[in-house]
Amino acid sequence: VGLLLLSMTNRLGRAIDRARQLKEVHRNGSTADKERITGQLEILWRRACLIRASIVWAASSVLLAALLIIFLFIGTLLDWQIAPVIVIIFAGCLVAIIVSLLYFILDINLSLHALDLELHS
């Protein structure tokens, strides 16, 4: 999950940097360029939102995994019967990483759509 987060934050940084570059070109471009660039900026905004959601869900998965370890340790130390809590936290951890990966896949598809628009314009 740590490597996924690293990849996601790199993608977010690239999308933000690209948006800044395009915004500068948009300010100084012709009308035709501005229309094309506006479309690209909208896609970059949607991508950034998807990546942010993916990062939030992945980080939530890590936090739930840490919580799971704490509960396992305390449950063993104090001899508590907390198996249902452990199962719920573990399931939450897995659901969070699945949702994160779905957002990540949506971002990848959207970036390919942006490339397609750029190549065919």
Side-chain angles (χ1 to χ4, degrees), residues 3-58:
L3 290 175
L4 281 171
L5 279 168
L6 179 64
S7 175
M8 292 171 192
T9 54
N10 283 338
R11 287 181 70 83
L12 180 61
R14 296 274 310 194
I16 290 170
D17 290 344
R18 181 70 177 139
R20 287 181 178 144
Q21 291 171 347
L22 286 175
K23 190 62 180 174
E24 187 61 34
V25 173
H26 183 270
R27 284 187 191 105
N28 304 323
S30 66
T31 305
D33 286 341
K34 287 183 179 187
E35 289 177 15
R36 182 180 57 81
I37 291 171
T38 299
Q40 289 290 333
L41 287 170
E42 289 172 5
I43 290 173
L44 283 169
W45 173 254
R46 291 190 349 230
R47 283 191 56 213
C49 290
L50 287 171
I51 297 168
R52 179 188 59 194
S54 185
I55 290 169
V56 166
W57 282 100

Side-chain angles (χ1 to χ4, degrees), residues 77-94:
L77 185 66
L78 301 176
D79 198 29
W80 288 348
Q81 301 302 319
I82 56 171
V85 174
I86 299 300
V87 169
I88 291 169
I89 295 173
F90 184 70
C93 183
L94 292 179

